[in-house]
């Protein structure tokens, strides 16, 4: 039943686009076939999960091979100052889709699988803006922006969700690969759910008699290091408790192939109309479960193997775009939701097998950090024949994509925090943002020109579980990233004027700071 609309969709489209108004429809050239409308290029986001600045060959990785991502980087604009909006997933994805700073939304924090949708259904989003311009819009992959309005019944249509914020089609995992429910949802319905085996989800209490990672280590194929000790699915202990839905549970090792197949099917089915696809891969987030054919391929253990797997998926996806004649009429943006982490809660040898690979490259910190590696990520724009290859130092953020793509399709949006940086994304200008507020687990800092100012935060400087420096310090930190990319020399004391100017600029954007931070400032 749930596939019916996919079969009907092309038919309906055909009926809708046959009228006299469709003169600009399909452009066919003699040698290379170009499908699509010249004034409405397709837009694709390829979004990775926890891929670090140093995890990509084109960004300097030598121990890890990523030929397909490298091909996009060397054939398009490779940004050296491209930022996720946050050092964790949910806030980054919120900003990516809405163009709004995540710290403006109290709910834009790492969400449990039972969290309600955090995007207002009245709010403009990238898919909604493009839908208004006549695009078909789809998401395949990780969602993690909440579903429903609270107390979701997973056995009925789950809404609001992707469909209600602008996606005509959604094939998603609700939260993360390490969180329940471990099922796919297609347009709000759990895929493969059987009526007599309903799903129940609880993030507080277990269901009587159900094994857990904590109590049943003998059932595990992957051991938990911190967190991740609740319901066991496919031998992997997860965050949260789940009961039922046996037939609907995903296969972890097949997830990459599965999302790839749906992404490929989406572009094939919608190639005759302008489309937007948000292809949100699950790698290299935990649990790292490469398909057996990728096990051992990187020499760096499962984390490296799933990056090799993701790179392969991207290559296959690009082949589909090429074969379908879509490359000349499609803007592709490839980036990651936050920086890298090795041990994020499972014993999976990510640390032990890492060797000399530096997932953060030359940057300090990692996922969860206010230091650069938390938010500065691989960021590539690619458009065959339209974007000239270059390396750009322009300061850009994922939050800017909404306004920039609006400009590309000749429309505007309500005012948002994101800026129209279309020329930077197209590589025709090196002019990026003047400033950017970055966020990491509800803390914020200001980047302005080559400088970054991190206000005092009282927390521990290192998250010992993940072994990442978070950027916390009792005093202000000020770094000149041009001279000191690795943030080794705090210039706050040596440069009081610059510090004062940046604190003022930061507070002007951010509003009044917490009493605690303010207190520290006055000391
Ligand atoms: C943390 C999880 C981590 C990961 C993260 C979300 C624990 C101890 N840690 O709470 O494993 O799931 O949330 O990652 O549970 S993100 O990339 O989706 O933001
Ligand atoms: Ca992430």
């Amino acid at each position: 039943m749930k596939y019916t609309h996919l079969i009907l969709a092309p038919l309906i489209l055909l009926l809708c686009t046959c009228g006299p108004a469709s003169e600009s429809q399909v452009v066919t050239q003699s040698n290379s076939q170009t499908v699509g409308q010249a004034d409405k290029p397709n837009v694709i986001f390829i979004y990775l999960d926890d891929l670090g600045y140093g995890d990509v060959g084109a960004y300097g990785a030598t121990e890890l091979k990523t030929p397909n991502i490298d091909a996009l980087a060397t054939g398009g604009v490779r940004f050296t100052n491209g930022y996720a909006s946050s050092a964790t997933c949910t806030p980054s994805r919120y900003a990516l889709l809405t163009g709004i700073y995540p710290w403006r939304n109290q709910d834009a924090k790492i969400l449990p699988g039972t969290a309600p949708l955090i995007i207002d259904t009245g709010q403009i989003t990238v898919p909604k803006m493009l839908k208004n311009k006549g695009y078909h819009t789809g998401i395949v992959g990780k969602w993690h922006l909440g579903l429903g309005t609270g107390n979701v019944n997973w056995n009925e249509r789950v809404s609001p969700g992707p469909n209600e914020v602008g996606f005509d089609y959604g094939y998603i995992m609700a939260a993360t690969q390490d969180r329940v429910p471990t099922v796919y949802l297609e347009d709000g319905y759990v895929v493969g759910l059987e009526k007599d085996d309903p799903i129940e989800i609880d993030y507080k209490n277990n269901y009587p008699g159900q094994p857990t990672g904590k109590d049943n280590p003998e059932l595990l194929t992957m051991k938990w290091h911190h967190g991740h000790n609740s319901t066991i699915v496919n031998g992997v202990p997860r965050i949260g408790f789940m009961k039922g839905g046996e037939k609907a549970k995903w296969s972890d090792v097949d997830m990459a192939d599965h999302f790839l197949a749906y992404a490929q099917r989406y572009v094939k089915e919608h190639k005759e109309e302008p489309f937007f696809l948000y292809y949100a891969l699950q790698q290299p987030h935990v649990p790292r479960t490469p398909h057996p054919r990728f096990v051992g391929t990187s020499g760096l253990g499962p984390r490296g193997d799933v990056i090799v797997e993701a790179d392969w998926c991207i290559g296959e996806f690009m082949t589909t775009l090429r074969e379908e004649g879509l490359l000349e009429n499609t803007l592709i943006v490839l980036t990651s939701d936050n920086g890298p982490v090795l041990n994020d809660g499972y014993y999976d040898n990510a640390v032990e097998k890492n060797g000399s690979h530096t997932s953060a490259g030359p940057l300090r910190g990692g996922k969860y950090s206010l230091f650069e590696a938390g938010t500065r990520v691989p960021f590539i724009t690619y458009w065959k024949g339209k974007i000239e290859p270059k390396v750009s130092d322009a300061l850009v953020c994922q939050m800017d994509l909404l306004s920039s793509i609006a400009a590309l399709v000749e429309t505007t949006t309500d005012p948002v925090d994101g800026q129209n940086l279309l020329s930077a994304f197209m590589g025709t200008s090196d002019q990026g943002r003047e400033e950017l507020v970055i966020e990491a687990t509800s803390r914020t800092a200001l980047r302005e020109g080559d400088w970054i100012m991190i206000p005092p935060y009282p927390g521990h400087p290192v998250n010992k579980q993940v072994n990442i420096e978070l950027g916390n310090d009792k005093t202000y930190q000020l770094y000149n990233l041009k001279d000191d990319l690795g943030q080794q020399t705090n210039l706050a004391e040596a440069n009081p004027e610059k510090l004062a100017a940046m604190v003022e600029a930061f507070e002007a954007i951010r509003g009044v700071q917490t009493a605690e931070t303010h207190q520290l400032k006055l000391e």
Side-chain angles (χ1 to χ4, degrees):
M1 272 305 284
K2 56 184 175 295
Y3 292 96
T4 323
H5 65 284
L6 282 175
I7 297 159
L8 289 179
L11 192 67
I12 294 164
L13 275 160
L14 207 62
L15 295 173
C16 299
T17 53
C18 285
S22 62
E23 67 282 346
S24 65
Q25 281 300 306
V26 178
V27 185
T28 309
Q29 292 167 356
S30 50
N31 292 332
S32 71
Q33 193 201 19
T34 304
V35 180
Q37 298 177 21
D39 60 335
K40 287 186 180 165
N42 308 306
V43 179
I44 297 176
F45 292 174
I46 301 177
Y47 209 54
L48 289 108
D49 193 358
D50 298 1
L51 187 76
Y53 194 85
D55 280 326
V56 172
Y59 280 85
T62 51
E63 306 305 300
L64 194 53
K65 303 277 176 268
T66 54
N68 294 299
I69 301 178
D70 296 350
L72 293 174
T74 54
V77 184
R78 180 173 75 81
F79 290 93
T80 61
N81 280 284
Y83 284 79
S85 310
S86 168
T88 60
C89 163
T90 300
S92 270
R93 286 164 205 253
Y94 175 79
L96 173 77
L97 294 185
T98 64
I100 304 285
Y101 272 127
W103 41 264
R104 293 198 199 279
N105 183 341
Q106 293 283 336
D107 299 323
K109 304 195 164 60
I110 298 173
L111 297 176
T114 45
L117 177 68
I118 62 161
I119 299 176
D120 192 313
T121 53
Q123 204 169 331
I124 194 70
T125 60
V126 174
K128 205 181 271 185
M129 177 270 293
L130 288 169
K131 196 169 147 82
N132 290 342
K133 286 292 286 185
Y135 280 64
H136 195 280
T137 56
I139 169 171
V140 173
K142 178 178 179 176
W143 178 241
H144 210 191
L145 288 163
L147 292 168
T149 52
N151 298 319
V152 164
N153 179 348
W154 299 92
N155 307 290
E156 302 174 340
R157 180 158 187 274
V158 178
S159 87
N163 297 140
E164 287 70 29
V165 299
F167 288 104
D168 293 310
Y169 177 67
Y171 193 93
I172 59 166
M173 74 167 154
T176 61
Q177 202 187 333
D178 53 349
R179 282 174 175 76
V180 297
T182 50
V183 296
Y184 301 116
L185 288 106
E186 186 174 44
D187 287 337
Y189 291 99
V190 171
V191 177
L193 184 65
E194 294 183 320
K195 272 214 167 63
D196 57 357
D197 186 23
I199 290 179
E200 291 177 66
I201 304 290
D202 194 320
Y203 268 69
K204 285 209 177 90
N205 302 305
N206 192 15
Y207 298 94
Q210 283 231 130
T212 62
K214 193 160 177 240
D215 297 332
N216 304 86
E218 75 283 0
L219 299 178
L220 303 180
T221 52
M222 195 186 288
K223 290 208 169 92
W224 57 279
H225 176 272
H226 57 277
H228 306 97
N229 58 14
S230 304
T231 293
I232 305 166
V233 180
N234 306 331
V236 180
R238 317 278 166 156
I239 306 173
F241 301 101
M242 172 171 174
K243 191 179 170 215
E246 279 311 317
K247 287 271 161 60
K249 286 179 180 171
W250 65 49
S251 158
D252 291 278
V253 295
D254 293 313
M255 184 177 282
D257 287 338
H258 196 72
F259 282 147
L260 170 64
Y262 274 82
Q264 289 171 316
R265 191 177 82 174
Y266 180 84
V267 299
K268 284 183 188 169
E269 286 182 356
H270 297 285
K271 66 179 180 185
E272 302 296 347
E273 58 187 321
F275 68 81
F276 166 62
L277 174 64
Y278 173 26
Y279 176 24
L281 290 79
Q282 89 283 10
Q283 303 109 322
H285 194 283
V286 295
R288 292 144 188 155
T289 54
H291 186 273
R293 69 186 191 279
F294 289 99
V295 171
T297 52
S298 70
L300 299 179
R303 185 175 186 277
D305 294 349
V306 297
I307 293 175
V308 171
E309 179 184 62
D311 184 75
W312 177 85
C313 289
I314 291 162
E316 291 297 296
F317 182 65
M318 290 303 295
T319 299
T320 300
L321 295 180
R322 190 175 306 115
E323 285 172 358
E324 299 297 332
L326 289 163
L327 283 183
E328 287 82 358
N329 199 38
T330 303
L331 169 65
I332 298 168
V333 180
L334 183 146
T335 184
S336 171
D337 68 341
N338 53 253
V341 54
L342 297 181
N343 178 350
D344 206 14
Y346 294 98
Y347 287 99
D348 66 359
N349 277 324
V351 176
E352 293 77 359
K353 295 213 167 166
N354 196 45
S356 57
H357 175 62
T358 49
S359 54
L363 310 178
R364 187 173 179 183
K367 182 176 180 177
Y368 311 111
S369 180
L370 265 184
F371 286 134
E372 287 298 285
T375 44
R376 200 195 288 215
V377 287
F379 201 136
I380 297 159
T381 53
Y382 178 92
W383 185 343
K384 190 178 177 199
K386 241 331 202 267
I387 290 182
E388 291 288 325
K390 75 181 274 184
V391 177
S392 172
D393 297 330
L395 175 57
V396 298
C397 178
Q398 292 164 9
M399 189 175 65
D400 301 320
L401 289 165
L402 171 63
S403 304
S404 306
I405 291 166
L408 174 70
V409 300
E410 291 166 5
T411 187
T412 52
T413 68
D414 302 339
V416 288
D417 295 310
Q419 299 177 5
N420 171 9
L421 301 178
L422 182 61
S423 342
F425 288 127
M426 295 298 293
T428 54
S429 161
D430 290 327
Q431 191 62 46
R433 305 180 136 258
E434 299 290 323
E435 87 290 300
L436 173 70
V437 174
I438 57 166
E439 192 249 17
T441 57
S442 304
R443 298 158 299 141
T444 46
L446 179 69
R447 166 89 194 252
E448 202 179 52
D450 292 329
W451 296 83
I452 185 126
M453 184 282 296
I454 306 178
Y457 286 103
H460 200 282
V462 178
N463 177 331
K464 289 203 173 126
Q465 288 181 320
V466 296
N467 193 25
I468 286 174
E469 291 184 295
L470 298 173
N472 295 334
D473 203 329
K474 286 197 284 296
T475 62
Y476 279 97
Q477 296 176 74
L478 181 69
Y479 300 99
N480 185 319
L481 296 168
K482 199 168 181 197
D483 306 332
D484 180 23
L485 185 57
Q487 296 178 288
Q488 295 301 309
T489 310
N490 182 0
L491 298 173
E493 271 186 36
N495 262 294
E497 293 87 15
K498 185 71 193 168
L499 177 65
M502 285 195 72
V503 170
E504 195 181 327
F506 176 67
E507 295 194 345
I509 302 172
R510 195 67 183 79
V512 177
Q513 293 303 288
T514 62
E516 198 169 18
T517 305
H518 216 66
Q519 186 63 42
L520 285 160
K521 187 193 142 199
L522 295 174
E523 273 169 6

